[in-house]
Amino acid sequence: MPIDLTYSADVLDLIERTRAFVRETVLPIEDEHGGDITAAGGDEIRVSMQKAARDAGVFAPHAPVEFGGLGLNMSDRAPVFEEAGYSLFGPTALNIAAPDEGNVHMLAHIADPDQRIQYLEPLARGELRSGFAMTEPAPGAGSDPAALTTRAAKVEGGWRINGVKHFITGADGAGFFIIMARTSGEPGDRGGATMFLAPADAPGLRVGRHITTLDRAMIGGHCEVYFEDLFVPDEAVLGAVDRGYEYAQVRLGPARMTHVMRWLGAARRGHDIAVARVAEREGFGSRIGDLGMAQKMIADNEIDIAATRALLVRACWELDQGDHAGNATSIAKTFAAEAIGRIVDNSIQLCGGLGVSDDLPLARLSREVRPFRIYDGPSEVHRWAIAKRAVGAARRAAHG
Ligand SMILES: Cc1cc2nc3c(=O)[nH]c(=O)nc-3n(C[C@H](O)[C@H](O)[C@H](O)COP(=O)(O)OP(=O)(O)OC[C@H]3O[C@@H](n4cnc5c(N)ncnc54)[C@H](O)[C@@H]3O)c2cc1C
């Protein structure tokens, strides 16, 4: 089936309205607080921005229509999320920030009817936030999810979970967690994981230290989370027992792409600021933007933006066909995470001293985008997987 590169009139209208909302309502709040969501008021500002987004008709473009969302598929999300990402606070305002957006996506695919009412509905409506708890301190799950050490032991009527997670985004103030725990096998085994749902106030669930990282725009921090004899009933199993790794793929492929969409918007803002500046700034008898080495940086940014969009379109199209799209999302994620870093870095360079100052948002953009080369799979892990697939295909072709 050919890839259709046109958007419907409704989606085009939504792109325009999202652009206007983010630039007129959200960007000024981000700029006033230097892109620090905690300094801006944390959940209080989230709630007020989300109310404004609802009033503007741009709220929750990804969520199921039955829960107040706009029900967009992956291909249509791409340009809308990119517009939202133009401000670091835009995704929060539209309720499409990580990890809630990915959790909505996964719950919409896997949750049973009761779980949809208890967890998906309030999350989609922005009534609470959530955490996705997978990564563990060494020697546990990180780049290699199979190293999972958190255990869920079967007990009467449910499961008892013990373990430690870290870097759990949004944990402080989350209403509930999706927890990845081992229900069979040993650390290192490629199966045997299960996903569980647990309210944040369940006895035995404790949010610990905030791990200070480069970024400041994600609400609720990146925290340690402890499970100390946490009891979860059988009804809290998300999907089926021992199928957690399979479900993680339902979340991770699309979540990688929505990160690309949002960070592409942020990078584009950086590029727009830099180009506007060098179009006027003069030096050596010309405008900086007319000097060859500056032109190279501008052109490289344009190429990186276009190439990122193209890879995104391909991967989203595959996901919308119901494909797993493992290779396409790995390729798009790896290229985009690095391209976005280059775009922001070139933008800083073009702006000289102002580029690294707080007078422009470029320095903070650079802090925000750097971790993307690590989460949702470090570049090295994606390259490793892409190469393994290519070599495997060559072997199969050679040996039939
Ligand atoms: C800002 C931020 C937010 C996060 N939010 C969440 C969250 O909400 N929930 C959650 O569960 N986790 C979250 N994480 C954790 C994130 O998913 C992990 O950091 C990531 O999976 C890498 O795991 P690790 O940190 O344990 O690195 P390690 O597994 O220790 O890897 C370290 C490095 O080793 C190299 N490496 C690893 N494998 C290979 C390979 N096959 N080939 C070559 N080199 C390799 C890579 O360079 C990698 O960066 C977050 C992380 C950050 C930074």
Side-chain angles (χ1 to χ4, degrees):
M1 195 197 290
I3 298 179
D4 185 356
L5 293 173
T6 56
Y7 296 108
S8 70
D10 283 352
V11 171
L12 287 172
D13 177 56
L14 181 62
I15 295 167
E16 281 312 312
R17 283 187 293 114
T18 303
R19 184 196 308 252
F21 172 73
V22 167
R23 292 179 194 216
E24 289 159 22
T25 307
V26 183
L27 259 187
I29 303 172
E30 178 202 325
D31 286 344
E32 187 187 341
H33 300 282
D36 184 330
I37 194 89
T38 308
D43 271 308
E44 216 172 289
I45 194 72
R46 173 182 70 87
V47 169
S48 90
M49 289 193 301
Q50 291 189 348
K51 181 184 177 313
R54 250 181 242 107
D55 293 346
V58 297
F59 184 75
H62 64 315
V65 174
E66 60 183 306
F67 298 136
L70 304 175
L72 297 188
N73 66 13
M74 290 298 294
S75 299
D76 289 342
R77 282 177 209 182
V80 175
F81 281 35
E82 186 184 323
E83 287 305 332
Y86 205 81
S87 165
L88 295 173
F89 291 1
T92 298
L94 267 65
N95 200 21
I96 56 165
D100 293 340
E101 173 268 328
N103 289 343
V104 162
H105 184 92
M106 191 170 70
L107 291 170
H109 281 81
I110 300 166
D112 68 26
D114 289 342
Q115 292 168 342
R116 287 171 79 86
I117 290 165
Q118 190 179 348
Y119 294 105
L120 174 55
E121 177 162 8
L123 185 62
R125 293 193 190 283
E127 290 160 11
L128 46 73
R129 294 190 288 101
S130 62
F132 183 74
M134 180 142 154
T135 306
E136 302 167 337
S143 302
D144 182 3
L148 187 70
T149 58
T150 295
R151 288 224 171 246
K154 189 77 189 87
V155 294
E156 179 76 32
W159 300 80
R160 226 168 252 292
I161 303 179
N162 281 284
V164 184
K165 304 283 182 180
H166 71 171
F167 287 104
I168 307 311
T169 302
D172 189 0
F176 71 92
F177 290 85
I178 299 172
I179 303 163
M180 188 85 146
R182 182 168 287 290
T183 35
S184 67
E186 296 301 322
D189 290 349
R190 302 226 73 82
T194 300
M195 286 194 186
F196 296 93
L197 288 155
D201 60 0
L205 194 161
R206 182 165 62 85
V207 175
R209 184 174 70 98
H210 277 238
I211 302 173
T212 307
T213 49
L214 285 170
D215 58 302
R216 297 282 177 277
M218 291 191 191
I219 211 162
H222 309 294
C223 304
E224 294 173 343
V225 181
Y226 295 85
F227 309 118
E228 296 154 329
D229 274 339
L230 166 68
F231 174 78
V232 290
D234 285 323
E235 306 79 66
V237 172
L238 181 56
V241 171
D242 279 352
R243 289 184 59 191
Y245 289 123
E246 233 172 281
Y247 299 139
Q249 292 315 314
V250 172
R251 183 185 190 284
L252 289 178
R256 275 175 209 146
M257 294 306 90
T258 53
H259 269 310
V260 171
M261 299 167 193
R262 293 180 292 252
W263 290 133
L264 180 59
R268 200 156 51 80
R269 183 184 183 203
H271 178 60
D272 287 351
I273 288 168
V275 174
R277 179 158 173 82
V278 297
E280 301 297 329
R281 170 75 166 150
E282 295 191 351
F284 305 100
S286 113
R287 292 198 179 84
I288 302 240
D290 294 332
L291 296 172
M293 280 184 271
Q295 287 176 323
K296 178 179 184 307
M297 287 191 272
I298 295 164
D300 284 350
N301 279 2
E302 293 278 338
I303 292 166
D304 273 338
I305 289 168
T308 298
R309 279 207 194 106
L311 291 172
L312 194 52
V313 164
R314 169 79 210 192
C316 288
W317 178 82
E318 285 190 24
L319 288 165
D320 285 337
Q321 305 308 303
D323 291 350
H324 175 239
N327 213 41
T329 59
S330 272
I331 290 172
K333 194 277 179 183
T334 307
F335 181 85
E338 295 171 8
I340 284 163
R342 287 193 295 268
I343 295 164
V344 173
D345 196 64
N346 280 338
S347 303
I348 287 177
Q349 193 69 15
L350 285 163
C351 291
L354 276 179
V356 292
S357 77
D358 282 344
D359 287 7
L360 292 178
L362 302 174
R364 69 173 179 257
L365 288 178
S366 118
R367 289 194 294 269
E368 294 296 322
V369 302
R370 178 60 183 87
F372 185 35
R373 278 166 53 198
I374 294 170
Y375 55 68
D376 279 1
S379 293
E380 294 72 27
V381 175
H382 285 296
R383 284 199 167 85
W384 175 72
I386 294 162
K388 269 203 317 183
R389 288 187 199 104
V391 172
R395 273 205 200 104
R396 282 193 297 281
H399 303 293

